[in-house]
Amino acid sequence: MAKKNKITIKDIANALNISTAAVSKALHNDSRISEKTKKAVRQVAKNLNYQPNHLASALRSGKSKLVGVIVPKTNSNYFSSVIQNIEEILNGEGYNIIITHSNESYKKECANIDALLFTQVDGIIASMANETVNLEHYEKIKNIGIPLITFDRGENDLNVDYIGIDDYDSSHTIIDHLVAQGCRRIAHIGGYKHTRIYNNRIRGYIDALQKHNLPSDKELLIQSSLTTEDGKVQMQRLLNLKNRPDAVYVASDYAALGALQILKEKNIDVPNTIALVGFGNEPFANMVTPSLTSMNLHSARIGKIAAKTFLEYTKKEKVNYSLNKIILDAKLIVRESSNKKGI
Amino acid sequence: MAKKNKITIKDIANALNISTAAVSKALHNDSRISEKTKKAVRQVAKNLNYQPNHLASALRSGKSKLVGVIVPKTNSNYFSSVIQNIEEILNGEGYNIIITHSNESYKKECANIDALLFTQVDGIIASMANETVNLEHYEKIKNIGIPLITFDRGENDLNVDYIGIDDYDSSHTIIDHLVAQGCRRIAHIGGYKHTRIYNNRIRGYIDALQKHNLPSDKELLIQSSLTTEDGKVQMQRLLNLKNRPDAVYVASDYAALGALQILKEKNIDVPNTIALVGFGNEPFANMVTPSLTSMNLHSARIGKIAAKTFLEYTKKEKVNYSLNKIILDAKLIVRESSNKKGI
DNA sequence: TATATTTGCTTAATCGATTAAGCAAATATA
DNA sequence: TATATTTGCTTAATCGATTAAGCAAATATA
């Protein structure tokens, strides 16, 4: 019935014969409004089924109570878990989130940022696309003056808060583990060097090999897009080598999955002929046969910290960006694909 | 520098010594504004780096250009694919989407709807939580008069557009396949009957068995939450039967995965002792060993159709809800877990 | 009792963009 | 040439909520 005619504070004001200002204040529990009036306003609001118009209050207050989230993809468990935890924290403080994904495309990422700024979000929490090298679109966010928090894939150059794990150290943990398993010729299918986290993993890989006095063979270090498809391609490339590796450390579970499929196809014994370690601890790591050793990235904690970091900014008068790095320790989950001793 | 002082149409108007009305019209390419003025306005807007204030225009026009999406979970490939495709279509028409997930909880779903309505979305595309039986919160959306489109998990009682697959028919396809494989005692780990899609799958299962003159044993029909965890529990229950099934049709890949893990644990030959079929064709269906036969649900098409259905409504003067059912044919992807003949 | 403070509201401006109504100048038509 | 129409803008109201400024009545303080 009464479909179109939405209830506004004006309707409440008219019903009680008071001003809209009084209604607004009563609804916000202003101390200068009498309890009697407040009660009456709340009652009428309830009776009329009043729903505040968010656009109007957002326009007036300058706060949309929306936070934008940019992830490279939503169909990875890592990112969807981060998102869930961001949402949980922010919902509790009256914020809603707008989720966008770049699909690893720089162009899409730019479009996402434009869309989010257009929607007048109060802040942005982002993890960058693989393609992203130029950071101008992120500088745009900073220029507007709303909080910008990065996680997982961020860049030092941007000089904003960052939450992630210690990638350099994680590589050490993985190499230490593989060496302890008796592996001596360890390959690395890594991401692109221009992305900080992948660069750190590569550096960690090289330094850890050196630490163990193992040769660092150039043909064993591969840069990849880290998709399942490219994992297959790169694993095949490693198998084509005259001198094959006895272990492969892959910087993403998705690519590790592709590698595993090739290894199974070729009937290569995993872990005894070639041990395999992934990164990210996606749920399927536990589902495949052999189950995949992988690094757990604490997605839930990262999401919660990112959200809380944003909330910190909202309490400040002015946004002063700072590279506040929060680095968590990742945990290696050892499974069949790298456990030669069978326990 | 010029951080806080955002550029508005007033700034453009002042720069050119014309009215804000003229600027607004020029930016919207109104035919009553001269080309000369339009060019000047566009130039100044560009120079000043003008970004329209979405909240203001949304408030005035009554259109937020936001669409809410409610899914039970985002970490399933099915839902994330639907979302991606909704987004793709809607972005093309200038809409942004707000993604929320109920986490299968009725309470969370209610909260999501309130949050979306509060944000003044122009429409909602939803798939219901497992827990949802009462539909009052969805009626609220209808009362407000914005488009409501459901997919996958919808209810006839709601009488709104629905996009999904033919669940009843899908069960027939699966049973036909299992019977062709020589299975005679087929169990069904299904969802809750109160959810239409699961009820249809159950009805299809029962009718298909009858069609093949197979006994429909009550102990072989199980209602489940269809999580991986419950898949394990229910598979164990089936194995405890005196008269075990020789095939299990599970209404979700997640639960099928749990079932498969139990079967592997007990060293039961899949598919030869017990054949297994899942539903949803999640990516891991292809990753596990043995790979899992499953129903492909056309997530991309469903997302695109849902978005286009919403867009249809926006072209109409008034929203007239109608149960416009769009039913796609699901496709059975036969893999190792049910392929006894080996090809 | 006279003055100061507090209480409980109202008035009017405002956030930025859009739009109905209208007006003067330019152009078209009779 | 006189009138009608079109062009290109302006003025002012509006979307709904918030808030600074202010006022009268009630209460507190000197």
Side-chain angles (χ1 to χ4, degrees):
Chain A
M1 302 296 111
K3 272 192 185 180
K4 284 290 138 182
N5 39 353
K6 284 215 194 151
I7 304 300
T8 70
I9 52 168
K10 207 171 170 181
D11 297 307
I12 302 176
N14 286 342
L16 291 167
N17 228 352
I18 56 176
S19 70
T20 60
V23 174
S24 174
K25 284 176 184 162
L27 291 171
H28 287 84
N29 206 22
D30 189 297
S31 63
R32 295 285 288 275
I33 300 290
S34 70
E35 265 315 313
K36 197 180 138 205
T37 306
K38 281 182 191 171
K39 260 187 195 153
V41 167
R42 288 192 198 115
Q43 189 58 51
V44 173
K46 202 174 168 187
N47 289 348
L48 296 177
N49 192 25
Y50 167 72
Q51 299 285 124
N53 184 316
H54 170 252
L55 296 172
S57 58
L59 174 62
R60 181 62 231 255
S61 65
K63 300 284 165 214
S64 67
K65 286 282 185 175
L66 291 172
V67 173
V69 177
I70 305 172
V71 291
K73 50 188 177 183
T74 54
N75 57 354
S76 111
N77 191 72
Y78 172 76
F79 286 115
S80 86
S81 166
V82 171
I83 290 171
Q84 259 182 59
N85 283 279
I86 290 175
E87 195 180 19
E88 197 178 290
I89 298 292
L90 293 185
N91 280 355
E93 299 287 322
Y95 285 89
N96 282 301
I97 68 175
I98 300 186
I99 302 160
T100 65
H101 55 100
S102 61
N103 212 12
E104 304 288 9
S105 145
Y106 167 71
K107 225 174 145 182
K108 185 96 194 288
E109 194 172 86
C110 291
N112 284 342
I113 289 178
D114 282 342
L116 289 176
L117 295 180
F118 176 71
T119 318
Q120 311 283 124
V121 292
D122 289 345
I124 290 179
I125 300 174
S127 190
M128 293 176 186
N130 255 334
E131 274 183 31
T132 299
V133 184
N134 180 315
L135 299 175
E136 267 175 40
H137 49 320
Y138 282 103
E139 294 292 346
K140 205 172 179 179
I141 301 172
K142 291 175 73 178
N143 284 336
I144 287 188
I146 58 173
L148 169 60
I149 290 110
T150 56
F151 69 95
D152 192 52
R153 308 224 204 117
E155 286 298 331
N156 284 338
D157 296 348
L158 202 53
N159 202 37
V160 296
D161 289 81
Y162 173 80
I163 299 108
I165 54 139
D166 192 329
D167 291 287
Y168 179 82
D169 196 63
S170 295
S171 284
H172 276 269
T173 306
I174 289 170
I175 301 301
D176 291 353
H177 162 69
L178 287 171
V179 168
Q181 292 288 320
C183 303
R184 289 291 171 267
R185 195 168 156 73
I186 303 170
H188 180 43
I189 300 178
Y192 298 121
K193 265 189 185 164
H194 67 70
T195 308
R196 198 179 46 75
I197 59 167
Y198 296 127
N199 190 31
N200 285 345
R201 287 179 205 172
I202 291 169
R203 288 197 307 108
Y205 159 78
I206 292 171
D207 291 357
L209 286 185
Q210 198 159 32
K211 183 177 73 185
H212 290 288
N213 292 314
L214 292 174
S216 162
D217 199 332
K218 268 197 179 159
E219 63 184 9
L220 295 183
L221 174 53
I222 292 176
Q223 284 188 59
S224 156
S225 66
L226 296 177
T227 60
T228 302
E229 214 37 59
D230 204 53
K232 284 188 190 178
V233 172
Q234 304 306 340
M235 188 68 232
Q236 189 57 63
R237 229 172 101 183
L238 288 173
L239 291 181
N240 289 342
L241 292 178
K242 260 184 291 182
N243 194 358
R244 284 183 179 177
D246 58 8
V248 182
Y249 154 32
V250 190
S252 147
D253 279 352
Y254 289 91
L257 179 72
L260 184 60
Q261 285 170 350
I262 290 290
L263 288 167
K264 281 167 80 174
E265 238 171 56
K266 307 284 173 193
N267 282 316
I268 291 170
D269 183 344
V270 178
N272 295 309
T273 306
I274 297 183
L276 191 66
V277 174
F279 210 104
N281 201 28
E282 289 284 325
F284 63 76
N286 205 18
M287 299 174 183
V288 292
T289 312
S291 58
L292 183 66
T293 295
S294 193
M295 267 298 182
N296 190 326
L297 306 186
H298 306 301
S299 52
R301 278 170 63 199
I302 288 176
K304 286 199 172 81
I305 294 173
K308 283 175 184 164
T309 306
F310 164 77
L311 290 173
E312 283 302 307
Y313 276 109
T314 63
K315 283 167 198 156
K316 291 177 192 163
E317 193 64 18
K318 212 178 162 186
V319 175
N320 285 308
Y321 296 100
S322 59
L323 181 55
N324 228 325
K325 267 182 152 180
I326 299 171
I327 304 297
L328 306 175
D329 274 330
K331 191 170 163 31
L332 187 66
I333 312 292
V334 178
R335 296 198 183 90
E336 294 163 359
S337 72
S338 73
N339 197 355
K340 295 191 182 184
K341 288 159 196 155
I343 219 164
Chain B
M1 303 294 111
K3 271 190 182 177
K4 284 289 138 182
N5 38 354
K6 284 214 193 151
I7 304 299
T8 69
I9 53 169
K10 207 171 170 183
D11 298 307
I12 302 176
N14 287 341
L16 291 168
N17 230 351
I18 56 176
S19 70
T20 59
V23 173
S24 175
K25 283 176 185 162
L27 289 171
H28 287 84
N29 207 19
D30 190 297
S31 62
R32 293 286 286 275
I33 301 290
S34 69
E35 266 314 314
K36 198 180 136 204
T37 305
K38 281 182 191 172
K39 260 187 195 153
V41 166
R42 287 190 198 118
Q43 189 58 51
V44 173
K46 205 176 168 187
N47 290 348
L48 297 178
N49 192 23
Y50 167 72
Q51 298 286 124
N53 185 316
H54 170 252
L55 296 171
S57 58
L59 174 61
R60 182 62 231 257
S61 65
K63 300 285 165 213
S64 68
K65 287 282 185 176
L66 291 172
V67 174
V69 176
I70 304 171
V71 292
K73 50 188 176 183
T74 53
N75 56 355
S76 113
N77 191 72
Y78 172 76
F79 286 115
S80 86
S81 166
V82 171
I83 289 171
Q84 260 182 58
N85 282 279
I86 289 175
E87 196 180 18
E88 197 178 290
I89 298 291
L90 292 186
N91 281 354
E93 299 287 322
Y95 285 89
N96 281 301
I97 68 175
I98 299 186
I99 303 160
T100 65
H101 55 101
S102 61
N103 211 13
E104 303 288 11
S105 145
Y106 167 71
K107 225 174 147 181
K108 185 94 194 288
E109 193 171 88
C110 291
N112 285 341
I113 289 178
D114 282 341
L116 290 176
L117 295 180
F118 176 70
T119 318
Q120 311 282 126
V121 293
D122 289 345
I124 290 179
I125 300 174
S127 189
M128 293 175 186
N130 254 334
E131 273 183 34
T132 300
V133 183
N134 181 314
L135 299 176
E136 267 174 40
H137 49 319
Y138 282 104
E139 293 292 345
K140 205 172 180 179
I141 302 173
K142 292 176 71 178
N143 284 337
I144 285 186
I146 58 172
L148 170 60
I149 291 110
T150 57
F151 69 94
D152 191 53
R153 309 223 204 117
E155 286 300 331
N156 284 338
D157 296 347
L158 202 54
N159 203 37
V160 296
D161 289 82
Y162 173 80
I163 299 109
I165 55 140
D166 192 328
D167 292 285
Y168 180 83
D169 196 63
S170 295
S171 284
H172 276 268
T173 306
I174 288 170
I175 301 301
D176 291 354
H177 162 69
L178 288 171
V179 168
Q181 291 289 320
C183 302
R184 288 292 170 268
R185 193 166 159 72
I186 303 171
H188 179 43
I189 300 178
Y192 298 121
K193 265 189 186 164
H194 67 71
T195 308
R196 197 179 47 76
I197 60 168
Y198 296 125
N199 191 31
N200 285 345
R201 289 180 204 172
I202 291 168
R203 288 196 306 108
Y205 159 80
I206 293 170
D207 290 359
L209 287 184
Q210 197 160 33
K211 183 178 73 184
H212 289 288
N213 293 314
L214 292 174
S216 163
D217 199 332
K218 268 198 180 157
E219 62 184 9
L220 295 183
L221 175 53
I222 293 176
Q223 285 189 60
S224 157
S225 66
L226 296 177
T227 60
T228 302
E229 215 35 59
D230 204 53
K232 284 186 190 181
V233 173
Q234 304 306 340
M235 188 69 232
Q236 189 57 63
R237 228 173 102 185
L238 287 173
L239 291 181
N240 289 343
L241 292 178
K242 260 183 294 184
N243 195 357
R244 284 184 179 177
D246 58 8
V248 182
Y249 153 34
V250 189
S252 148
D253 279 351
Y254 289 90
L257 178 72
L260 183 59
Q261 284 170 350
I262 290 291
L263 289 167
K264 280 167 80 173
E265 238 171 57
K266 308 281 173 193
N267 282 316
I268 292 169
D269 182 344
V270 178
N272 295 309
T273 306
I274 297 184
L276 190 66
V277 174
F279 211 103
N281 201 28
E282 290 284 326
F284 63 76
N286 205 20
M287 298 175 183
V288 293
T289 313
S291 58
L292 183 66
T293 296
S294 192
M295 267 298 182
N296 190 326
L297 306 185
H298 306 301
S299 51
R301 279 171 63 198
I302 288 176
K304 286 201 172 80
I305 295 174
K308 283 176 183 162
T309 306
F310 163 77
L311 290 173
E312 282 303 307
Y313 275 109
T314 63
K315 284 169 198 155
K316 290 177 191 162
E317 193 66 19
K318 211 178 162 184
V319 175
N320 285 308
Y321 297 99
S322 59
L323 182 54
N324 228 325
K325 267 183 155 181
I326 299 171
I327 303 297
L328 306 175
D329 274 331
K331 190 168 163 35
L332 187 66
I333 313 291
V334 177
R335 296 199 184 89
E336 294 163 358
S337 72
S338 72
N339 197 354
K340 295 192 184 184
K341 287 157 200 158
I343 215 161

